[in-house]
Amino acid sequence: MTEFSRRVEQVSISGIREVFEAAGEDAINLGLGQPDFPTPEHAREGAIEAIRAGEADEYTSNKGTESLREAISHRYAADRDIEVDPDDVIATAGGSEALHIALEAHVDEGQEVVFPDPGFVSYDALTHLAGGEPKPVALRDDLTMDPAAVEAAITDDTAAFIVNSPANPTGAVQSPEDMREFARIADEHDVLCISDEVYEHIVFEGEHRSPIEFAETDNVVVVSACSKTYSMTGWRLGWVTGSNRRIERMLRVHQYGQACATAAAQHAAEAALTGPQEPVDEMVAAFEERRDVLLDGLADIGLDCPTPKGAFYAMPEVPEGFVDEVIDRGVVVVPGEAFGEHGEGYARISYAVNVETLKEALSIMGDAYDAVA
């Protein structure tokens, strides 16, 4: 009888989904990791025009259309002053696939992958699916990842370490000095740094920098996507970039598992990347306003929360029973342990809802806190 692979048996359904299923239909959802803004009109029109012109009916290049990869290259040059060869980009089915092919191409059976804890739920699962061994590292008090902790975790069996800034679930933004250190670690230890930069444009304080800016070797690959920046989660369009030799290995995984990203989504992404960027600025300003409302409300309740400097999440420390009490009262938040064992005692709150809804949720959370404190 055919049983199941060890790799898949090590992976379970995300704890985030379990919370959603436990909540009522009318619950206020502060657990969802997607912007509540519409995809910019010019991005939608890019897809519509391509469909009408018959340009979305066929496979594209495995790497994605040349014009999309040129648009991605242009954004790196314009926004980050980083030179990216369009030939060294693979358009993927969201940032999730980009992470998947990066790990599959670089991790052998039993090799270790170091990543933040609490951290994005996919890091642990995708490491298992690649046959690797997860090696989570605890965060600093401000919920950033300490380069020294990463370096201490690296052994001869380490294949890669993952950096995520701005971070899900914490909203933390790594400093330029940290990013320079991550690049040094990748160089000196000859180990791959996978930099997850899906939230790169949603920054309120400080600045986003990438380890790829500082690396002296090709030991950094970067994952990003249109999903958060352009509110295009449903379009499933991301990318990975790195040296040509690394891209060619990741392409071997991508071409057999996916062939190419959806053609219509590629045209929408190209329009988003090359068109007006004002919708991004407006969205970021709205998220910053909501963040401040949330932080003030959490402080009034009596909950300590490191100030998130980017993304659209906050991760306050919460008393035992708080998450269950909040969910029972009709507000969805995610228990911190869904993101790793060091997340225990925290809750992740997404503020991808309007201010009025956020204030209503805070009132409910206040009542929940009084019930369990």
Side-chain angles (χ1 to χ4, degrees), residues 59-82:
Y59 294 121
T60 72
S61 161
N62 290 139
K63 288 183 179 179
T65 67
E66 185 175 1
S67 56
L68 170 59
R69 290 181 284 114
E70 287 174 347
I72 292 169
S73 175
H74 167 73
R75 283 261 64 90
Y76 278 109
D79 298 339
R80 308 277 178 238
D81 198 25
I82 298 174

PDB file of all heavy atoms in Angstrom, residues 59-82:
ATOM      1  N   TYR A  59       1.570  29.989 -23.434  1.00  0.00           N
ATOM      2  CA  TYR A  59       2.707  30.011 -22.519  1.00  0.00           C
ATOM      3  C   TYR A  59       3.579  31.230 -22.808  1.00  0.00           C
ATOM      4  O   TYR A  59       3.753  31.627 -23.961  1.00  0.00           O
ATOM      5  CB  TYR A  59       3.600  28.783 -22.717  1.00  0.00           C
ATOM      6  CG  TYR A  59       2.984  27.457 -22.348  1.00  0.00           C
ATOM      7  CD1 TYR A  59       2.874  26.459 -23.306  1.00  0.00           C
ATOM      8  CD2 TYR A  59       2.571  27.179 -21.048  1.00  0.00           C
ATOM      9  CE1 TYR A  59       2.360  25.209 -22.986  1.00  0.00           C
ATOM     10  CE2 TYR A  59       2.050  25.939 -20.714  1.00  0.00           C
ATOM     11  CZ  TYR A  59       1.941  24.958 -21.686  1.00  0.00           C
ATOM     12  OH  TYR A  59       1.433  23.730 -21.365  1.00  0.00           O
ATOM     13  N   THR A  60       4.163  31.779 -21.763  1.00  0.00           N
ATOM     14  CA  THR A  60       5.245  32.738 -21.963  1.00  0.00           C
ATOM     15  C   THR A  60       6.562  31.980 -21.810  1.00  0.00           C
ATOM     16  O   THR A  60       6.575  30.772 -21.567  1.00  0.00           O
ATOM     17  CB  THR A  60       5.190  33.875 -20.927  1.00  0.00           C
ATOM     18  OG1 THR A  60       5.579  33.362 -19.634  1.00  0.00           O
ATOM     19  CG2 THR A  60       3.791  34.481 -20.843  1.00  0.00           C
ATOM     20  N   SER A  61       7.656  32.686 -21.917  1.00  0.00           N
ATOM     21  CA  SER A  61       8.955  32.123 -21.553  1.00  0.00           C
ATOM     22  C   SER A  61       8.865  31.584 -20.128  1.00  0.00           C
ATOM     23  O   SER A  61       8.127  32.106 -19.295  1.00  0.00           O
ATOM     24  CB  SER A  61      10.028  33.202 -21.637  1.00  0.00           C
ATOM     25  OG  SER A  61      11.177  32.847 -20.910  1.00  0.00           O
ATOM     26  N   ASN A  62       9.621  30.529 -19.833  1.00  0.00           N
ATOM     27  CA  ASN A  62       9.625  30.005 -18.464  1.00  0.00           C
ATOM     28  C   ASN A  62       9.954  31.088 -17.443  1.00  0.00           C
ATOM     29  O   ASN A  62       9.373  31.119 -16.353  1.00  0.00           O
ATOM     30  CB  ASN A  62      10.640  28.870 -18.326  1.00  0.00           C
ATOM     31  CG  ASN A  62      10.236  27.609 -19.061  1.00  0.00           C
ATOM     32  OD1 ASN A  62      11.062  26.962 -19.690  1.00  0.00           O
ATOM     33  ND2 ASN A  62       8.959  27.216 -18.998  1.00  0.00           N
ATOM     34  N   LYS A  63      10.862  31.960 -17.790  1.00  0.00           N
ATOM     35  CA  LYS A  63      11.252  33.027 -16.865  1.00  0.00           C
ATOM     36  C   LYS A  63      10.212  34.137 -16.784  1.00  0.00           C
ATOM     37  O   LYS A  63      10.256  34.950 -15.853  1.00  0.00           O
ATOM     38  CB  LYS A  63      12.593  33.644 -17.288  1.00  0.00           C
ATOM     39  CG  LYS A  63      13.802  32.760 -17.062  1.00  0.00           C
ATOM     40  CD  LYS A  63      15.072  33.514 -17.439  1.00  0.00           C
ATOM     41  CE  LYS A  63      16.312  32.659 -17.203  1.00  0.00           C
ATOM     42  NZ  LYS A  63      17.557  33.373 -17.584  1.00  0.00           N
ATOM     43  N   GLY A  64       9.285  34.181 -17.720  1.00  0.00           N
ATOM     44  CA  GLY A  64       8.335  35.279 -17.792  1.00  0.00           C
ATOM     45  C   GLY A  64       8.625  36.130 -19.010  1.00  0.00           C
ATOM     46  O   GLY A  64       9.698  36.027 -19.629  1.00  0.00           O
ATOM     47  N   THR A  65       7.689  36.985 -19.390  1.00  0.00           N
ATOM     48  CA  THR A  65       7.899  37.818 -20.570  1.00  0.00           C
ATOM     49  C   THR A  65       9.109  38.723 -20.371  1.00  0.00           C
ATOM     50  O   THR A  65       9.415  39.146 -19.260  1.00  0.00           O
ATOM     51  CB  THR A  65       6.669  38.698 -20.862  1.00  0.00           C
ATOM     52  OG1 THR A  65       6.515  39.656 -19.802  1.00  0.00           O
ATOM     53  CG2 THR A  65       5.399  37.864 -21.003  1.00  0.00           C
ATOM     54  N   GLU A  66       9.779  38.998 -21.459  1.00  0.00           N
ATOM     55  CA  GLU A  66      10.955  39.870 -21.375  1.00  0.00           C
ATOM     56  C   GLU A  66      10.571  41.254 -20.871  1.00  0.00           C
ATOM     57  O   GLU A  66      11.291  41.860 -20.071  1.00  0.00           O
ATOM     58  CB  GLU A  66      11.625  39.973 -22.740  1.00  0.00           C
ATOM     59  CG  GLU A  66      12.922  40.771 -22.714  1.00  0.00           C
ATOM     60  CD  GLU A  66      13.645  40.764 -24.047  1.00  0.00           C
ATOM     61  OE1 GLU A  66      13.140  40.151 -25.018  1.00  0.00           O
ATOM     62  OE2 GLU A  66      14.735  41.378 -24.127  1.00  0.00           O
ATOM     63  N   SER A  67       9.410  41.756 -21.316  1.00  0.00           N
ATOM     64  CA  SER A  67       9.006  43.105 -20.910  1.00  0.00           C
ATOM     65  C   SER A  67       8.704  43.178 -19.416  1.00  0.00           C
ATOM     66  O   SER A  67       8.983  44.194 -18.771  1.00  0.00           O
ATOM     67  CB  SER A  67       7.796  43.569 -21.723  1.00  0.00           C
ATOM     68  OG  SER A  67       6.725  42.664 -21.619  1.00  0.00           O
ATOM     69  N   LEU A  68       8.147  42.116 -18.839  1.00  0.00           N
ATOM     70  CA  LEU A  68       7.920  42.105 -17.390  1.00  0.00           C
ATOM     71  C   LEU A  68       9.242  42.093 -16.653  1.00  0.00           C
ATOM     72  O   LEU A  68       9.441  42.854 -15.690  1.00  0.00           O
ATOM     73  CB  LEU A  68       7.084  40.882 -16.986  1.00  0.00           C
ATOM     74  CG  LEU A  68       6.991  40.638 -15.468  1.00  0.00           C
ATOM     75  CD1 LEU A  68       6.375  41.830 -14.752  1.00  0.00           C
ATOM     76  CD2 LEU A  68       6.206  39.364 -15.172  1.00  0.00           C
ATOM     77  N   ARG A  69      10.160  41.261 -17.085  1.00  0.00           N
ATOM     78  CA  ARG A  69      11.446  41.181 -16.395  1.00  0.00           C
ATOM     79  C   ARG A  69      12.222  42.492 -16.529  1.00  0.00           C
ATOM     80  O   ARG A  69      12.931  42.909 -15.603  1.00  0.00           O
ATOM     81  CB  ARG A  69      12.250  39.994 -16.917  1.00  0.00           C
ATOM     82  CG  ARG A  69      11.628  38.664 -16.462  1.00  0.00           C
ATOM     83  CD  ARG A  69      12.386  37.442 -16.922  1.00  0.00           C
ATOM     84  NE  ARG A  69      12.159  37.138 -18.332  1.00  0.00           N
ATOM     85  CZ  ARG A  69      13.072  37.194 -19.272  1.00  0.00           C
ATOM     86  NH1 ARG A  69      14.335  37.567 -18.967  1.00  0.00           N
ATOM     87  NH2 ARG A  69      12.791  36.885 -20.522  1.00  0.00           N
ATOM     88  N   GLU A  70      12.053  43.179 -17.646  1.00  0.00           N
ATOM     89  CA  GLU A  70      12.655  44.509 -17.797  1.00  0.00           C
ATOM     90  C   GLU A  70      11.997  45.505 -16.842  1.00  0.00           C
ATOM     91  O   GLU A  70      12.668  46.382 -16.285  1.00  0.00           O
ATOM     92  CB  GLU A  70      12.526  44.972 -19.239  1.00  0.00           C
ATOM     93  CG  GLU A  70      13.454  44.237 -20.201  1.00  0.00           C
ATOM     94  CD  GLU A  70      13.216  44.614 -21.652  1.00  0.00           C
ATOM     95  OE1 GLU A  70      12.176  45.247 -21.935  1.00  0.00           O
ATOM     96  OE2 GLU A  70      14.076  44.262 -22.509  1.00  0.00           O
ATOM     97  N   ALA A  71      10.684  45.373 -16.645  1.00  0.00           N
ATOM     98  CA  ALA A  71       9.982  46.263 -15.721  1.00  0.00           C
ATOM     99  C   ALA A  71      10.445  46.033 -14.289  1.00  0.00           C
ATOM    100  O   ALA A  71      10.624  46.990 -13.512  1.00  0.00           O
ATOM    101  CB  ALA A  71       8.469  46.050 -15.831  1.00  0.00           C
ATOM    102  N   ILE A  72      10.654  44.773 -13.912  1.00  0.00           N
ATOM    103  CA  ILE A  72      11.175  44.462 -12.578  1.00  0.00           C
ATOM    104  C   ILE A  72      12.569  45.041 -12.413  1.00  0.00           C
ATOM    105  O   ILE A  72      12.890  45.671 -11.391  1.00  0.00           O
ATOM    106  CB  ILE A  72      11.178  42.933 -12.366  1.00  0.00           C
ATOM    107  CG1 ILE A  72       9.741  42.402 -12.297  1.00  0.00           C
ATOM    108  CG2 ILE A  72      11.955  42.564 -11.094  1.00  0.00           C
ATOM    109  CD1 ILE A  72       9.634  40.894 -12.365  1.00  0.00           C
ATOM    110  N   SER A  73      13.403  44.875 -13.435  1.00  0.00           N
ATOM    111  CA  SER A  73      14.757  45.435 -13.411  1.00  0.00           C
ATOM    112  C   SER A  73      14.723  46.948 -13.252  1.00  0.00           C
ATOM    113  O   SER A  73      15.493  47.527 -12.463  1.00  0.00           O
ATOM    114  CB  SER A  73      15.493  45.049 -14.694  1.00  0.00           C
ATOM    115  OG  SER A  73      16.757  45.673 -14.763  1.00  0.00           O
ATOM    116  N   HIS A  74      13.807  47.597 -13.983  1.00  0.00           N
ATOM    117  CA  HIS A  74      13.676  49.058 -13.903  1.00  0.00           C
ATOM    118  C   HIS A  74      13.313  49.501 -12.495  1.00  0.00           C
ATOM    119  O   HIS A  74      13.851  50.495 -11.993  1.00  0.00           O
ATOM    120  CB  HIS A  74      12.629  49.545 -14.894  1.00  0.00           C
ATOM    121  CG  HIS A  74      12.219  50.973 -14.672  1.00  0.00           C
ATOM    122  ND1 HIS A  74      13.040  52.045 -14.994  1.00  0.00           N
ATOM    123  CD2 HIS A  74      11.094  51.506 -14.140  1.00  0.00           C
ATOM    124  CE1 HIS A  74      12.430  53.177 -14.675  1.00  0.00           C
ATOM    125  NE2 HIS A  74      11.257  52.878 -14.154  1.00  0.00           N
ATOM    126  N   ARG A  75      12.394  48.776 -11.843  1.00  0.00           N
ATOM    127  CA  ARG A  75      11.981  49.171 -10.494  1.00  0.00           C
ATOM    128  C   ARG A  75      13.146  49.080  -9.520  1.00  0.00           C
ATOM    129  O   ARG A  75      13.323  49.941  -8.658  1.00  0.00           O
ATOM    130  CB  ARG A  75      10.824  48.322 -10.007  1.00  0.00           C
ATOM    131  CG  ARG A  75       9.476  48.683 -10.587  1.00  0.00           C
ATOM    132  CD  ARG A  75       8.646  49.561  -9.616  1.00  0.00           C
ATOM    133  NE  ARG A  75       9.213  50.857  -9.344  1.00  0.00           N
ATOM    134  CZ  ARG A  75       8.960  51.964 -10.050  1.00  0.00           C
ATOM    135  NH1 ARG A  75       8.166  51.926 -11.097  1.00  0.00           N
ATOM    136  NH2 ARG A  75       9.499  53.111  -9.708  1.00  0.00           N
ATOM    137  N   TYR A  76      13.979  48.027  -9.624  1.00  0.00           N
ATOM    138  CA  TYR A  76      15.138  47.922  -8.745  1.00  0.00           C
ATOM    139  C   TYR A  76      16.102  49.088  -8.969  1.00  0.00           C
ATOM    140  O   TYR A  76      16.666  49.639  -8.019  1.00  0.00           O
ATOM    141  CB  TYR A  76      15.858  46.586  -8.951  1.00  0.00           C
ATOM    142  CG  TYR A  76      15.229  45.445  -8.196  1.00  0.00           C
ATOM    143  CD1 TYR A  76      14.529  44.447  -8.857  1.00  0.00           C
ATOM    144  CD2 TYR A  76      15.325  45.355  -6.814  1.00  0.00           C
ATOM    145  CE1 TYR A  76      13.940  43.393  -8.166  1.00  0.00           C
ATOM    146  CE2 TYR A  76      14.744  44.314  -6.110  1.00  0.00           C
ATOM    147  CZ  TYR A  76      14.046  43.341  -6.794  1.00  0.00           C
ATOM    148  OH  TYR A  76      13.459  42.306  -6.098  1.00  0.00           O
ATOM    149  N   ALA A  77      16.278  49.480 -10.222  1.00  0.00           N
ATOM    150  CA  ALA A  77      17.177  50.596 -10.525  1.00  0.00           C
ATOM    151  C   ALA A  77      16.607  51.908 -10.018  1.00  0.00           C
ATOM    152  O   ALA A  77      17.321  52.714  -9.403  1.00  0.00           O
ATOM    153  CB  ALA A  77      17.414  50.670 -12.033  1.00  0.00           C
ATOM    154  N   ALA A  78      15.309  52.127 -10.255  1.00  0.00           N
ATOM    155  CA  ALA A  78      14.694  53.401  -9.881  1.00  0.00           C
ATOM    156  C   ALA A  78      14.498  53.534  -8.378  1.00  0.00           C
ATOM    157  O   ALA A  78      14.702  54.612  -7.802  1.00  0.00           O
ATOM    158  CB  ALA A  78      13.348  53.544 -10.600  1.00  0.00           C
ATOM    159  N   ASP A  79      14.090  52.444  -7.710  1.00  0.00           N
ATOM    160  CA  ASP A  79      13.743  52.507  -6.300  1.00  0.00           C
ATOM    161  C   ASP A  79      14.908  52.222  -5.375  1.00  0.00           C
ATOM    162  O   ASP A  79      14.964  52.748  -4.266  1.00  0.00           O
ATOM    163  CB  ASP A  79      12.624  51.497  -5.987  1.00  0.00           C
ATOM    164  CG  ASP A  79      11.339  51.777  -6.750  1.00  0.00           C
ATOM    165  OD1 ASP A  79      11.152  52.919  -7.196  1.00  0.00           O
ATOM    166  OD2 ASP A  79      10.531  50.833  -6.901  1.00  0.00           O
ATOM    167  N   ARG A  80      15.852  51.380  -5.809  1.00  0.00           N
ATOM    168  CA  ARG A  80      16.909  50.914  -4.908  1.00  0.00           C
ATOM    169  C   ARG A  80      18.319  51.184  -5.434  1.00  0.00           C
ATOM    170  O   ARG A  80      19.286  50.899  -4.735  1.00  0.00           O
ATOM    171  CB  ARG A  80      16.770  49.398  -4.692  1.00  0.00           C
ATOM    172  CG  ARG A  80      15.384  48.949  -4.254  1.00  0.00           C
ATOM    173  CD  ARG A  80      15.194  49.105  -2.770  1.00  0.00           C
ATOM    174  NE  ARG A  80      13.855  48.728  -2.381  1.00  0.00           N
ATOM    175  CZ  ARG A  80      12.997  49.540  -1.754  1.00  0.00           C
ATOM    176  NH1 ARG A  80      13.361  50.763  -1.446  1.00  0.00           N
ATOM    177  NH2 ARG A  80      11.802  49.125  -1.412  1.00  0.00           N
ATOM    178  N   ASP A  81      18.418  51.669  -6.672  1.00  0.00           N
ATOM    179  CA  ASP A  81      19.716  51.839  -7.310  1.00  0.00           C
ATOM    180  C   ASP A  81      20.488  50.519  -7.330  1.00  0.00           C
ATOM    181  O   ASP A  81      21.703  50.471  -7.123  1.00  0.00           O
ATOM    182  CB  ASP A  81      20.536  52.928  -6.609  1.00  0.00           C
ATOM    183  CG  ASP A  81      21.682  53.432  -7.476  1.00  0.00           C
ATOM    184  OD1 ASP A  81      21.584  53.332  -8.715  1.00  0.00           O
ATOM    185  OD2 ASP A  81      22.681  53.910  -6.900  1.00  0.00           O
ATOM    186  N   ILE A  82      19.739  49.422  -7.561  1.00  0.00           N
ATOM    187  CA  ILE A  82      20.325  48.089  -7.653  1.00  0.00           C
ATOM    188  C   ILE A  82      20.239  47.632  -9.105  1.00  0.00           C
ATOM    189  O   ILE A  82      19.175  47.710  -9.724  1.00  0.00           O
ATOM    190  CB  ILE A  82      19.586  47.087  -6.752  1.00  0.00           C
ATOM    191  CG1 ILE A  82      19.701  47.505  -5.280  1.00  0.00           C
ATOM    192  CG2 ILE A  82      20.126  45.675  -6.940  1.00  0.00           C
ATOM    193  CD1 ILE A  82      18.865  46.644  -4.346  1.00  0.00           C
TER     194      ILE A  82
END
